[in-house]
Amino acid sequence: MRHGHTQDLTVDIGEGRSYPIRFVQDAKEVLAKLVTDQADSSGKLAVITDMNLQLAHPELFEQLLKEIPTFVVSPGEPSKSVQRLGELWDFLAQIQLDRQGKLVALGGGVIGDLAGFAAASFLRGVAYYQVPTSLLAMVDSSIGGKTGINISAGKNLVGAFYHPEEVLIDTRLLESLPATEFSAGMAEVVKYGLLGDLGLFQKLEDLDRLHPQHPELPSVIRRCCEIKAQVVRDDERETSSEGGRALLNLGHTFGHAIEKVAGYGVYLHGEAVSIGMIAAAELSHRKGWISMDDCDRIRILLERYDLPVSLQEKLLAEDLLNSMKRDKKVRSGIIRFVAMRNLGDSFTTSDVDEILIRNCLTSIGAV
Ligand code: GLY
């Protein structure tokens, strides 16, 4: 089904800086325009993508982007490496991309982060476009200018805040996404409801299961983008002492630890966040902020998308706790959690003792 038009949004980042999130009916047409516009200008265009995208859209690469230098990486987190970034810099130098050149990040979060950091660093900064192709990238990683790569000490430890010229969202690109990836993105969608919009959470409860062709999907994605844009506007560099951009990490303190201790690749990021949100709900309940009924509502909604709500294998609470203590969000050795005061109303808190954290870890199946 062809969706109606979804209104564009603006990400306002202060000091007169802003960029649009455009909801487009056909990203291919928009890419075609970028290709012709760039052909008329002095700079080159280069596309960064992954092999899955290339396989899913052969017509795009064999026709429209045929003449456009394209850097293709293997799908998955390992491509956010120093080595791949080095190869990308060499590629950009080899095609003689100059300061008028532009990059197009066509892919999910990995591509957006890698291409965005290449754009931030090559020639000390060239323009780039985010064309997210996963639900997670559409609602989260393509917006807000966080770019970067992983190093052996941890994920996203090297990077820059560097915003794109535009974010172009075409929800039809989700049709070629594996169902598990779509579900993982839904964990982030649920997160937006929990962190700041009870109405969105209730809408998700009321709607039947969303899928790439669902007529309500574009408006749900738009609402998530709107919340993200607002959070980024208020705290672009995540320096707020309370709340702010850190709220986007609801479920992530536990989730990052789960991803790391289980071994990267065991859970999709969104799956780990799903379990993490259950742990955050448990924490909020044990603190007396949300009810058991609220916890059940969160679990039921996540289960509707076949998302895990407890650990799928035994992990040691001790290991998870140690990993949380080393999270890069930790300030002066104190773990900051995002907790819920109510559904749709989250806040950051460090007032959580270790026994409570261990109890929350036990409740999601840690031993
Ligand atoms: N994905 C979290 C953030 O953009 O801050």
Side-chain angles (χ1 to χ4, degrees), residues 140-141 143-146 161 188 191-192 228 231-232 236 238 245-246 248-249 252 329:
D140 188 14
S141 60
I143 305 161
K146 279 192 181 174
F161 285 98
E188 301 283 350
K191 177 193 81 175
Y192 282 107
K228 173 118 194 201
V231 169
V232 169
E236 186 199 350
E238 207 169 324
R245 194 161 179 164
L248 298 171
N249 282 324
H252 285 59
K329 314 272 175 193

Side-chain angles (χ1 to χ4, degrees), residues 340-367:
M340 287 165 258
R341 211 177 270 117
N342 279 300
L343 296 187
D345 179 12
S346 295
F347 66 109
T348 49
T349 177
S350 301
D351 178 24
V352 183
D353 63 44
E354 206 167 300
I355 297 171
L356 177 52
I357 304 174
R358 284 180 191 274
N359 286 337
C360 294
L361 290 171
T362 311
S363 79
I364 55 165
V367 290

